[in-house]
């Protein structure tokens, strides 16, 4: 399983945002830090979590573009999906990986020199 950069950004926002919010709340509640430092830290953590949610919406819109193309073009290779949607091959591959994990897309391996082809299930 390959993890692409957009997936890493989403995961990092969730982890760092949650951790920052929790440590900020801990500092504010227990008094181990100053409230003037803890409250902004909580806000930064919540903002990172909110950003991760917006990023997730962006990924869903991108995945929708890939599904829309595949609905009219079954058995398309990655390069054609990328060219038709205007997305980089890495972004399309990431979308295909998510869609495959969700059971919406299957890939069929061609002969050795041919790249895999993708279609909706």
């Amino acid at each position: 399983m390959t993890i692409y950069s957009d997936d890493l950004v989403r995961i990092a926002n969730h982890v760092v945002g949650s951790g920052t919010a929790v440590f900020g709340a801990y500092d504010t509640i227990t008094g181990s830090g100053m409230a003037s430092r803890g409250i902004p830290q909580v806000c930064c953590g919540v903002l990172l979590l909110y950003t991760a949610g917006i990023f997730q919406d962006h990924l869903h819109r991108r995945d929708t573009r890939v599904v829309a193309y595949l609905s009219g073009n079954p058995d398309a290779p990655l390069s054609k999906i990328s060219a038709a949607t205007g997305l980089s091959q890495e972004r399309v591959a990431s979308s295909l990986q998510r869609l495959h994990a969700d059971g919406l897309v299957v890939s069929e391996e061609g002969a050795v020199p041919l790249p895999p082809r993708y279609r909706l299930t």
Side-chain angles (χ1 to χ4, degrees):
M1 176 179 191
T2 305
I3 297 179
Y4 294 93
S5 60
D6 54 357
D7 298 320
L8 291 175
V9 169
R10 182 174 43 89
I11 291 166
N13 277 0
H14 278 289
V15 171
V16 173
S18 300
T20 302
V22 167
F23 287 130
Y26 177 79
D27 276 353
T28 302
I29 293 169
T30 63
S32 61
M34 297 176 359
S36 62
R37 184 183 74 197
I39 293 172
Q41 191 174 4
V42 170
C43 292
C44 287
V46 171
L47 184 62
L48 280 171
L49 289 172
Y50 177 73
T51 303
I54 291 172
F55 190 69
Q56 190 68 29
D57 291 340
H58 172 72
L59 295 179
H60 286 295
R61 285 192 304 271
R62 189 172 71 205
D63 292 352
T64 302
R65 289 168 62 185
V66 172
V67 168
Y69 178 76
L70 286 176
S71 69
N73 301 286
D75 298 324
L78 178 71
S79 59
K80 284 193 178 186
I81 300 168
S82 175
T85 59
L87 300 168
S88 70
Q89 287 194 10
E90 181 184 77
R91 300 294 186 231
V92 171
S94 180
S95 288
L96 289 169
Q97 181 185 30
R98 275 189 302 282
L99 294 167
H100 179 71
D102 291 342
L104 298 172
V105 170
V106 293
S107 65
E108 296 176 0
E109 299 293 327
V112 176
L114 295 176
R117 300 192 176 274
Y118 300 91
R119 64 178 171 81
L120 297 176
T121 55

